[in-house]
Amino acid sequence: MDTSYDPKKVNVNVDGTIITGFAGDGIITASKNEDAVTPNVGCQGDVVYEENANESGTIALTLQGTSPSLARLRKLASGRKTFSVVISDANDDDSISISAGKCRILKEPDLARGKTSSTVTVNIYVPNLTIR
């Protein structure tokens, strides 16, 4: 069976603004901050699964250093503002969506200038990361 992936079908909306200017090596990476469960093995081999209530995660946006969205993201970071994030992937084989509120940028994006354009990663803290 043939499958295809179209990065143009991935949309990222931060605080009501569509993000543009993604780097060539990625758009987003979304990951939980901690494991969902911790196995606890007793001295006789009995196993208890300890559930972790921490549902937080991080969304990393990978942008070109020339991305027009960086100015907006830097403003959100310096203003210490909470905002919503909506990510949708309309690819048929692995469509996903993320919708989260009360998010914050962990630190202002790096600034690099050199012979070639740089890649900038913006890390967004998400209090309740749910990937659907």
Side-chain angles (χ1 to χ4, degrees):
M1 181 166 92
D2 291 334
T3 60
S4 65
Y5 170 76
D6 185 353
K8 291 181 180 180
K9 292 183 177 181
V10 178
N11 293 301
V12 180
N13 184 313
V14 173
D15 196 36
T17 302
I18 298 293
I19 302 301
T20 60
F22 292 99
D25 58 347
I27 297 175
I28 67 146
T29 302
S31 57
K32 293 282 193 171
N33 288 333
E34 295 182 11
D35 292 339
V37 65
T38 303
N40 185 337
V41 181
C43 61
Q44 292 185 330
D46 298 331
V47 177
V48 174
Y49 293 102
E50 299 169 351
E51 302 293 331
N52 188 344
N54 185 351
E55 294 293 328
S56 69
T58 302
I59 296 172
L61 305 178
T62 309
L63 303 170
Q64 296 173 347
T66 57
S67 170
S69 297
L70 279 171
R72 175 80 176 129
L73 294 169
R74 284 190 173 99
K75 185 175 180 181
L76 287 171
S78 65
R80 299 175 183 232
K81 183 178 178 204
T82 61
F83 51 86
S84 63
V85 173
V86 177
I87 298 171
S88 63
D89 178 350
N91 283 286
D92 295 334
D93 292 331
D94 191 23
S95 64
I96 58 109
S97 70
I98 298 171
S99 180
K102 297 182 181 178
C103 301
R104 291 273 307 263
I105 294 176
L106 294 175
K107 70 171 192 158
E108 281 196 50
D110 295 339
L111 177 63
R113 297 290 187 259
K115 185 176 180 180
T116 60
S117 63
S118 61
T119 298
V120 177
T121 301
V122 180
N123 291 308
I124 299 173
Y125 178 83
V126 181
N128 188 349
L129 179 63
T130 303
I131 300 171
R132 293 184 182 92

